Amino acid sequence: MAVYFPLQGSQTSDIASDSQTHSEIEECPDSPNCIIVSKKFETELGQLFQFLEKAFVDLNPHEIEADSSEFKIQSVFKIPLFGFKDDVLAIVEKDGPNSLVHIKSSSRVGYSDLGVNRRRVKKIFRKLESYIIVLNN
């Protein structure tokens, strides 16, 4: 069981993943300012990508580029108080009858992100799961 402190940095081990990281996603550095999470969904690839893009847009990124032919989203989030920029990459891929979402959120500068990337990835997955629940009801 992990214990989290309010200002603890983000690390990939903070959130359990359902799969190995996608080959296009570079590993995080040893510093606690990056997180990679992969989650499996029983949702069609194209539909899942649309929901994922909506989840990103709902979080109001500074920049976003979505490529529906490659099922990839690249975005930049700007931290309001200090103006630091974080890069977020998401890739959706087919996994047998399921689909996998891989998300990497990482700070461009600094050693620790104070947990910002971990919280952002959790928000993205919560929004994505809420859209899937609405679809299935």
Side-chain angles (χ1 to χ4, degrees):
M1 181 170 95
V3 176
Y4 294 106
F5 297 99
L7 300 179
Q8 176 183 357
S10 301
Q11 294 182 327
T12 296
S13 61
D14 290 346
I15 303 173
S17 283
D18 294 336
S19 171
Q20 296 294 319
T21 303
H22 191 277
S23 61
E24 287 185 44
I25 298 178
E26 293 181 28
E27 291 185 22
C28 286
D30 289 336
S31 57
N33 64 359
C34 176
I35 188 165
I36 301 172
V37 180
S38 299
K39 293 238 179 233
K40 189 178 292 192
F41 293 91
E42 295 178 2
T43 305
E44 186 270 325
L45 188 69
Q47 183 71 66
L48 188 61
F49 182 78
Q50 288 177 354
F51 288 157
L52 184 62
E53 184 177 7
K54 181 172 173 25
F56 269 74
V57 170
D58 286 353
L59 292 178
N60 197 27
H62 180 66
E63 299 172 21
I64 186 167
E65 182 180 328
D67 184 340
S68 59
S69 66
E70 294 192 21
F71 302 104
K72 184 187 294 188
I73 298 171
Q74 295 180 324
S75 64
V76 176
F77 286 84
K78 196 171 180 181
I79 306 304
L81 185 60
F82 300 108
F84 298 134
K85 292 181 180 177
D86 295 342
D87 297 303
V88 184
L89 169 64
I91 299 174
V92 182
E93 69 175 338
K94 193 80 175 133
D95 183 42
N98 301 312
S99 300
L100 276 171
V101 175
H102 307 274
I103 299 178
K104 177 181 182 181
S105 185
S106 59
S107 300
R108 290 185 181 177
V109 296
Y111 178 76
S112 176
D113 68 354
L114 305 177
V116 169
N117 288 300
R118 177 182 59 247
R119 290 189 298 275
R120 179 182 301 116
V121 169
K122 283 183 172 182
K123 283 180 190 174
I124 292 169
F125 279 119
R126 275 196 306 268
K127 285 188 170 291
L128 182 58
E129 290 164 356
S130 73
Y131 301 145
I132 292 169
I133 289 169
V134 169
L135 174 72
N136 292 329
N137 287 332

